[in-house]
Amino acid sequence: MWIVGFNIVGYRRKGCRSNNLCVLRSMWKNFTLGVHTICDKEYIFTMATEGETFGKLLSGTEIAKEIRASLATEVAELSKQIPNYKPGLAIVQVGGREDSNVYIRMKIKAAQEIGIEAVHVKLPKSITETELLMKLEKLNNDPNVHGIIVQMPLDSDNPIDAHLITDAVKPEKDVDGLNTINEGKVAVGDLTGFLPCTPNGVMELIKRSGIKIAGSNAVVLGRSKIVGTPASELLKWHHATVTVCHSKTKNLDQEISRADILVVAVGVPQMVKGHWIKRGAVVIDCGINSIRDPSKKSGSRLVGDVAFEEAKEVASYITPVPGGVGPLTVAMLMKNTVLSAQRAAKKLLNTTWNLRLLPITPATPVPRDIVIARAQEPKNISQLANEIGLLPSEVHLYGDKKAKVNLSVLKRLELQKPGKFVVVAGITPTPLGEGKSTTTIGLVQALAAHKQKNAFACVRQPSQGPTFGIKGGAAGGGYSQVIPMDEFNLHLTGDIHAVTAANNLLAAQIDARIFHEATQNDKGLFDRLVPAKNGKRSFSKIQVRRLQRLGINKTSPEDLTEEEQRKFARLDIDPKSVTWQRVVDTNDRFLRKITIGQSPSEKGHTRETGFAMTVASEIMAILALAENLEDMKQRLGKIVVAVDKQGQPVCADDLGATGAMAILLKDAIQPTLMQSLEGTPVLVHCGPFANIAHGCSSVIADKVALKLVGPEGFVVTEAGFGSDIGMEKFFNIKCRSSGLVPNLVVLVASVRALKMHGNGHPVVPGIPLHDDYVHENIELVKKGLPNLQQHIQNCIKFGVPVVVAINKFSSDTAAELKVIKEAALSCGAASAVVCNHWAEGGLGAADLADSVIQQTCHPTGNMRFLYDLTIPLEEKINIIAQQMYGAGNVELSPHVQKMLQTYTEQGYHNLPICMAKTSNSLTGDPSIKGAPKGFTLKVNDVFISVGAGFVVTVVGEISRLPGLGVRPNIYDMDLDTETEEIEGLF
């Protein structure tokens, strides 16, 4: 830089305390050398440098244009990473002030240029504070909205606290930076939140001037919440020495004259004069004021808080008004919105959980399940939901330990790649169970807590029948269980009760319709089905669907002929053909067969029917197989309950019950979020029994979990009982319906079960085990191995690798476990692992977790179904019996043969088979153990579940409503009325 001479740049009267100068025009940027007195004036001498001028404009318009272009590139990149992904901005306006409209149009235009989806939420002046808060809460919970701004001032007829409103916007969506949390972050130097837009724009302008902020003297004139205060904080955290001035500041001109950086935001037109400003200072004028100007057509013009014409003679850089800070404010708003969308996208792309685990300290001997469960304090379920990536809007709390998960999560994560899918099945169990649910939970605890993998367990909801009967609940056990286990086993979120209500509503409608058709003539029946409302008759939506099925293409009741009215009104149900039963979630044997209609008011319309367990209802199967609400409703409408007197199926839609049942089930379709003993996530949903239904938890739970764990995570789901029934139906029914392909089968075996299949003494609940089961007996184990081998072969037939989990009991010996492991490997298992998760929690299943990780690292694609849907129903039955059970042939009763022919004629021959068979044997006889071959399997009954999408064939005596034993679990149960704790559950 060349020194070219001295300049006199200004003067003041001698002795004057003010720094006010009479500024002389100069074309040089000057560095002050000193003050010299000539006559009565002090002249300021500076050294001039060549080539630099004063009053260079900091154009916010140009900088904003650059920023918008850069943001557009970033948005395009986001769309490449996540197809169809767009940042979303909601601009909330109360009333219709024209100045606000101008600002909003400007923001929307900028958003459109960048690729932001901006929505103008225009609310009436009559809105109340409560209504506005509710609207903001909806926007807070909308995953497609990444930024929310509330246009100020609020033009409302009602009193609304503006501060309350800005604080109601979630900090992570507060792109204006006005929420107290974001303001507080700026105050303490945490710049990770959203910076307020105007101050952020101010900082951008200062940086563009090239001045070194660190060490500079900065003066901020104005201390408003929106501009002055946050601007001073930002300058401070950029290491400037900051002075905040305001209306009470003494010697304001002197304070300003010391500023290397001057930020003005007072709202007073042209308040700051040029001679107040230090030569070479950077001046940022945030003011925008309208003043009278007769020379303008409008009669006014916009000016800032700084006297621009004077100031530009001494400032090195200065912002114009308009065109300075204003465009940058909008640009920074857009920048914050894109940043918010990027953060949301990062969460979508980075699925690693921040799981806070619950420590366990296993005791020896292992205490009762309820004691272990009560000793562990579960996390608040909203905390767990946050840890696994669920949004608050996707979680509906039922207290603080369980919550429903909204199906909207599937839409939000529709582009997310799913995780690894593992199904847990078992060998033929003893009546005590071999720990399949315990293994499911233990494996997930091992994966999540000890192998640092995202891992979910998907399990069925237990029925109250076995809970109060003999078998007990299904929360797992020992140190591998779902907590709180009492809530898990009792009511939970009421899904089973909802199924009961929907099922029995349909049953009531069937009998009511039969009764009314028998007691009314055609016209009276039609008039009651289509009553006049306000003098006009019309069909409901479900009635229009019935007309369409009948081929009547009319929409007005008045247009139907008498014959069409009769066809519409009369279902002509054959009472003897009604297959739909009422259900109850209690083991009540005396309801298995009942006579209804015995009241005199039923006028002799009696018939025999019965009850089944709620979990045996077709509605439970529908809930477990449905993809979403619409799919569920469609399936409900297809339920066939009887045939008419011409032999044609009558469905729930004909009875007008579809919508009502869907209403009862609208919450039940959402899976319930709970947690394991170690704080890992569990989805509990549906509970169809495997011996009388398809025995799997829901498709929805699996799909939600698979999305949440991400491509490197694991979902472990369970199939009921042994591979012969639960797993077979998992593949042939559930996987066929859902399209999901499992990566691996984990087959649970135990020394106890194999000893039983080796012809050990009977295992009876409530009776102590024989010595065979508590002392080493290798020969007995070897005799039972064919059962294990059959189940391994069952798994392999589906083309999916199998890992055998040998669930260790305290009485098992190393030699017995070794025999099982060697046998499993010799007949095709990919690996066999001894597990002790019941006694040790997830750590006891760590080796199993390692094996699961290793076996699922290979791509899937080899899964195959056991049969093709196009083959005859009888052939499907034969394939299942021969390949899964080891049967030689199948014997169909005459009734079954007739019904299979009827179903074929009705077009149901392409449905899969759901075999209702005992879980206690590979045969149809529960007393036969081991793995017999060549036996005859007798099928003595069949019925159809059109809504669920399968044909149920019944083998042997399968009770759809178990009874209570001599000493059910209820004898041990009690309620402590002081503590409200449940006693004796397990």
Side-chain angles (χ1 to χ4, degrees), residues 186 196 199 202-203 220 226-236 242 263:
V186 173
V202 166
M203 293 305 299
V220 178
I226 296 175
V227 182
T229 297
S232 66
E233 299 291 352
L234 289 175
L235 283 162
K236 178 175 69 176
V242 183
V263 178

Side-chain angles (χ1 to χ4, degrees), residues 506 541-542 545-546 548-549 618-619 621-623 625-640 651-654 657-663 665 669 908 945-949:
L506 180 57
K541 288 189 292 186
I542 201 167
R545 292 202 297 270
R546 171 159 171 78
Q548 291 169 346
R549 284 193 298 275
E618 182 181 351
I619 293 178
I622 286 172
L623 201 64
L625 291 170
E627 297 276 343
N628 48 49
L629 267 173
E630 181 59 29
D631 184 35
M632 181 190 75
K633 195 166 80 167
Q634 293 291 334
R635 288 173 177 269
L636 290 172
K638 293 176 183 177
I639 293 172
V640 173
C651 64
D653 224 42
D654 292 317
T658 306
M661 289 191 292
I663 289 169
L665 297 167
I669 198 172
Y908 301 132
S945 295
V946 179

Side-chain angles (χ1 to χ4, degrees), residues 307-328:
F308 178 79
E309 293 299 329
E310 298 177 13
K312 73 179 183 180
E313 300 299 330
V314 287
S316 59
Y317 285 86
I318 187 169
T319 56
V321 177
V325 177
L328 260 297

